[in-house]
């Protein structure tokens, strides 16, 4: 059925991967879009769902509806949750495609090269021209970034960029915001480019750059694509080097993988060609601007107040704790919170691959592993730092994560008077955590029978706190388990608390709650024998 009594509308379609564009008429009352053959508009990419969305004509206007697509449909940079009318010039983002809606269908074919850019988004080719002029500018060439302040460098660069933009005014499309163009160029020249706004967005917890034009973020535990783009892969690589340079790291063909951190403590991982086939990849796990407290985790539903009080009791009375969980489950955040329970008069030594922990106590020594130099020499791994930490008269040793042979040294520390030590381990359950720890000990190169390793684990570790990210994106402490001892060749556990799921609501959120099992830990009886009062209501 054709649309009558209206000027024919159109869509300008641009594939951001190869830059190809085309134009189709909206002369039907319904246009289905997806990667499956049979749709009116077929967009053959993995980022597009089989039946992604539909554009239909209703009440004298075109409306777009998402059909439950995996990666979402974006209008003007925002993911749509309901039927959304399309205004003239509106840009729809579907996977790797940009679709610009033209209400009257009178689009100039010469504008197709810019068809995929949102009105608020600057075309890469325009930014590239400004960058080229900026690099050639004498003032910029003569500016010594090491000798001037960051504020002065930004001011000078902004003045030069503003002048360059005026010179190129005739080549810049009218819809491009000159103010935004200047800001983006300066951010890419001196800062982190399009990442600046994402880092400032408090709702974003993780940023994943798959390529110069493919930037995803995590919000509320869910992944979504953004409209953010770098000028090209070379610009992305420059930003990566700008991030890792202050912490003494490097990335090149000899060392194409690197871990680092931002000034605020956010964790950074980068991998570049030849390992990353499509181009440089960057992942940033944002660090909260304010250190999370116990009350925050209780408010988020990660654990209950009783569980928090129990963990406070465990840490204050020097029990050895392993925080277990999968990638992105919140292990480091939980470790950061529970370390606040360590008494302020105790000396704490932290050991991390990349420094992330922010302990509130004053008497803290932070150690960070060192990567090898250009010749592949001079590396100081975590294991060596753990051994050194034992010579620093620590009351507590906190290891950011046990991932290799340092596990044996951590267990020996726990077994030789350094009670109250804490660390994290990658695993999916308390039982898996014990198996993982046994594997890590074997990675140390120490030849011990399995039973001897398990006996060492059972005598060293007191509690395992299991953290998980659930399907709805929420993060929960699913178990707090006590290591009881050995029965034959098996380490025995007993759950003190656990999360019980009861279902899923209409919006896909997990329903359930934390419950005490009624089991009273062995160490509570020891505290009572020593005359230390314990609120037994914690276990009811």
């Amino acid at each position: 059925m054709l649309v009558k009594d209206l000027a024919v509308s159109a869509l300008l379609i641009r594939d951001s991967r190869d830059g190809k564009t085309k134009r189709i008429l909206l002369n039907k009352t319904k246009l289905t879009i997806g990667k499956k053959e049979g749709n009116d508009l077929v967009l053959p990419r993995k980022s597009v769902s089989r039946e992604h969305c539909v554009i239909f004509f209703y009440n004298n206007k075109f409306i777009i509806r998402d059909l439950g697509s995996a990666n979402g449909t974006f209008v003007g940079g925002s993911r749509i949750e309901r039927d959304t009318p399309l205004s003239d010039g509106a840009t729809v983002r579907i996977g790797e495609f940009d679709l610009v809606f033209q209400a009257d269908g009178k689009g100039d074919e010469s504008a197709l090269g810019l068809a995929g850019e949102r009105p608020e988004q600057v075309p890469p080719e325009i930014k590239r021209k400004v960058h080229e002029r900026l690099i050639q500018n004498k003032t910029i060439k003569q500016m010594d970034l090491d000798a001037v302040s960051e504020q002065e460098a930004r001011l000078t660069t902004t003045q030069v960029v503003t002048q360059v933009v005026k010179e190129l005014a005739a080549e810049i499309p009218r819809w491009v915001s000159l103010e935004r163009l200047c800001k983006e160029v300066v951010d890419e020249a001196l800062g982190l480019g399009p990442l600046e706004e994402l880092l400032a967005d408090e709702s974003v917890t993780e940023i994943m750059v798959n390529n110069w034009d493919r930037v995803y973020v995590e919000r509320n535990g869910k992944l979504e694509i953004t409209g953010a783009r770098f000028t090209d892969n070379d610009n992305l690589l420059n930003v990566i080097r700008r991030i890792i340079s202050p912490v003494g790291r490097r990335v090149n063909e000899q060392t194409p993988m690197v871990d680092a951190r931002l000034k605020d403590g956010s964790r950074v991982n980068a991998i570049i060609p030849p390992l990353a086939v499509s181009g440089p990849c960057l992942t940033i796990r944002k660090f909260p601007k304010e250190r999370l407290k116990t009350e925050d985790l209780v408010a988020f539903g990660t654990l209950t107040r009783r569980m928090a009080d129990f963990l406070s009791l465990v840490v204050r009375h020097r029990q050895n704790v392993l925080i277990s969980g999968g990638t992105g489950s919140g292990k480091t955040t939980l470790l950061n919170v529970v370390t606040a329970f360590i008494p302020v008069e105790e000396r704490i030594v932290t050991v991390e691959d990349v420094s992330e922990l922010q302990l509130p106590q004053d008497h803290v020594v932070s150690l960070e592993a060192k990567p090898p130099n250009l010749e592949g020499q001079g590396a100081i791994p975590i294991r060596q730092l753990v051994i050194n930490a034992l010579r620093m008269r620590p009351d507590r040793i906190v290891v950011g994560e046990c991932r290799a042979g340092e596990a044996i040294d951590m267990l020996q520390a726990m077994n030789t008077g350094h009670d109250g030590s804490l660390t994290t381990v990658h695993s999916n359950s308390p039982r898996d955590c014990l198996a993982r720890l046994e594997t890590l000990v074997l990675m140390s190169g120490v030849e011990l029978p399995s039973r001897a390793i398990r006996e060492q684990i059972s005598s060293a570790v007191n509690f395992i706190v299991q953290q998980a990210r659930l399907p709805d994106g929420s993060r929960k402490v699913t178990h707090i388990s006590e290591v009881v001892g050995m029965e034959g060749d098996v380490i025995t556990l007993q759950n003190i608390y656990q999360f019980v799921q009861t279902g899923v609501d209409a919006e896909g959120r997990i329903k359930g709650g934390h419950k005490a099992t009624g089991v009273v830990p062995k160490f509570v009886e020891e505290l009572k024998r020593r005359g230390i009062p314990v609120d037994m209501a914690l276990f009811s």
Side-chain angles (χ1 to χ4, degrees):
M1 177 178 175
L2 297 178
V3 179
K4 299 180 179 179
D5 302 323
L6 282 176
V8 176
S9 300
L11 284 176
L12 298 178
I13 306 161
R14 180 176 184 270
D15 184 341
S16 64
R17 181 182 293 184
D18 57 20
K20 293 181 179 179
T21 57
K22 65 179 178 178
R23 181 170 180 265
I24 65 169
L25 297 178
L26 285 174
N27 56 1
K28 299 170 62 177
T29 56
K30 181 180 179 182
L31 181 87
T32 58
I33 302 173
K35 69 179 177 183
K36 184 179 73 172
E37 292 295 332
N39 284 294
D40 297 312
L41 175 58
V42 179
L43 303 177
R45 289 284 189 277
K46 289 183 179 180
S47 56
V48 180
S49 295
R50 291 169 59 82
E51 296 175 347
H52 199 102
C53 63
V54 61
I55 296 176
F56 58 94
F57 187 73
Y58 176 74
N59 200 20
N60 289 329
K61 63 182 69 174
F62 279 98
I63 295 171
I64 187 167
R65 173 186 298 166
D66 184 79
L67 298 177
S69 62
N71 291 326
T73 302
F74 296 77
V75 176
S78 300
R79 186 169 184 163
I80 62 172
E81 304 292 343
R82 56 182 63 88
D83 291 354
T84 303
L86 294 176
S87 58
D88 188 29
T91 299
V92 179
R93 179 83 172 182
I94 300 174
E96 297 166 58
F97 297 87
D98 290 325
L99 288 67
V100 177
F101 175 71
Q102 291 185 330
D104 58 7
K106 296 179 182 178
D108 183 0
E109 294 295 331
S110 65
L112 286 176
L114 302 178
E117 308 303 335
R118 300 182 315 191
E120 67 270 25
Q121 190 177 52
V122 180
E125 53 266 36
I126 297 298
K127 282 198 290 185
R128 198 173 292 115
K129 284 186 178 181
V130 178
H131 272 294
E132 290 171 356
R133 293 280 189 95
L134 177 65
I135 294 170
Q136 296 167 2
N137 184 272
K138 289 183 179 180
T139 303
I140 298 300
K141 285 183 177 180
Q142 294 171 357
M143 184 170 61
D144 184 357
L145 292 176
D146 295 328
V148 299
S149 66
E150 183 178 340
Q151 184 177 3
E152 184 179 348
R154 182 169 284 270
L155 178 61
T156 302
T157 306
T158 301
Q159 291 172 344
V160 173
V161 169
T162 302
Q163 182 59 40
V164 170
V165 168
K166 288 180 180 179
E167 295 170 1
L168 294 174
E171 303 178 42
I172 300 174
R174 287 177 296 173
W175 53 263
V176 172
S177 166
L178 300 184
E179 181 181 354
R180 185 175 182 87
L181 171 58
C182 291
K183 181 182 183 302
E184 289 190 9
V185 171
V186 173
D187 282 345
E188 290 187 2
L190 298 176
L192 304 184
L195 301 182
E196 296 278 359
E197 292 185 8
L198 298 178
L199 288 168
D201 187 345
E202 294 186 5
S203 67
V204 173
T205 54
E206 197 148 0
I207 302 169
M208 293 140 282
V209 183
N210 292 356
N211 211 327
W212 68 271
D213 63 342
R214 305 293 297 163
V215 181
Y216 290 81
V217 297
E218 181 188 67
R219 284 190 176 95
N220 301 317
K222 299 291 185 181
L223 298 182
E224 59 184 59
I225 193 169
T226 71
R229 296 180 185 177
F230 293 82
T231 302
D232 49 35
N233 275 331
D234 287 340
N235 176 249
L236 171 56
L237 186 57
N238 288 335
V239 168
I240 290 173
R241 287 173 174 153
R242 197 172 297 136
I243 289 173
I244 65 177
S245 177
V247 291
R249 306 292 167 103
R250 64 188 62 82
V251 63
N252 49 41
E253 286 191 5
Q254 287 72 40
T255 54
M257 295 185 295
V258 65
D259 288 312
R261 66 178 184 278
L262 298 178
K263 292 179 181 178
D264 65 356
S266 296
R267 184 192 304 176
V268 177
N269 173 267
I271 182 167
I272 67 171
L275 299 186
V277 178
S278 60
C281 295
L282 177 67
T283 306
I284 300 175
R285 183 167 296 170
K286 286 178 61 180
F287 206 77
K289 291 185 177 179
E290 294 186 6
R291 186 181 189 277
L292 291 178
K293 300 181 176 63
T294 309
E295 293 74 18
D296 298 313
L297 296 190
V298 172
F300 296 154
T302 302
L303 73 175
T304 64
R305 167 50 61 185
R306 284 187 177 184
M307 293 167 70
D309 291 342
F310 175 70
L311 288 178
S312 174
L313 185 73
V314 164
V315 174
R316 283 188 290 108
H317 291 286
R318 306 184 67 82
Q319 299 293 291
N320 295 319
V321 179
L322 296 184
I323 297 177
S324 164
T327 301
S329 60
K331 300 186 299 298
T332 304
T333 298
L334 183 60
L335 179 63
N336 220 12
V337 169
V338 299
T339 50
F341 300 140
I342 299 175
V344 294
E345 65 271 12
E346 295 188 13
R347 176 175 169 83
I348 308 167
V349 178
T350 69
V351 179
E352 298 176 85
D353 193 30
V354 177
S355 182
E356 290 182 276
L357 296 174
Q358 286 186 326
L359 277 63
Q361 296 88 342
D362 290 329
H363 201 168
V364 178
V365 178
S366 299
L367 306 180
E368 183 180 65
K370 178 180 177 293
N373 58 22
L374 290 173
E375 290 74 34
Q377 299 175 340
I380 310 286
I382 283 185
R383 184 175 185 185
Q384 197 168 335
L385 292 180
V386 171
I387 295 171
N388 189 80
L390 298 174
R391 304 170 185 147
M392 298 174 67
R393 200 263 176 218
D395 290 309
R396 309 278 187 133
I397 297 176
V398 180
V399 178
E401 181 182 342
C402 276
R403 61 178 71 177
E406 62 271 6
I408 183 66
D409 303 295
M410 190 69 181
L411 290 176
Q412 288 176 346
M414 291 176 172
N415 271 322
T416 55
H418 296 89
D419 296 330
S421 297
L422 301 101
T423 188
T424 70
V425 176
H426 267 93
S427 54
N428 296 320
S429 71
R431 179 61 59 186
D432 285 347
C433 178
L434 296 173
R436 170 74 171 160
L437 200 57
E438 185 176 341
T439 302
L440 295 179
V441 170
L442 293 172
M443 289 172 64
S444 69
V446 177
E447 295 185 7
L448 290 173
S450 293
R451 180 176 177 83
I453 296 174
R454 291 171 190 169
E455 286 177 347
Q456 181 125 326
I457 292 173
S458 67
S459 62
V461 179
N462 300 118
F463 288 93
I464 298 173
V465 181
Q466 184 67 39
Q467 178 99 353
R469 181 167 63 173
L470 303 184
D472 63 353
S474 63
R475 293 172 171 86
K476 306 280 187 188
V477 172
T478 59
H479 298 82
I480 297 180
S481 305
E482 184 181 28
V483 179
V484 180
M486 294 278 292
E487 287 186 5
D489 290 336
V490 179
I491 301 174
T492 55
L493 296 171
Q494 58 181 12
N495 292 331
I496 311 303
Y497 298 93
Q498 63 187 54
F499 178 78
V500 179
Q501 181 177 337
T502 58
V504 181
D505 67 16
E507 296 182 358
R509 291 185 296 231
I510 301 295
K511 296 168 62 179
H514 293 96
K515 299 183 183 299
T517 62
V519 174
V520 178
K522 289 196 309 178
F523 101 104
V524 169
E525 299 301 326
E526 296 173 10
L527 293 180
K528 291 168 72 175
R529 283 196 296 270
R530 288 157 50 192
I532 299 173
V534 178
D535 182 6
M536 300 305 291
L538 292 175
F539 313 109
S540 62

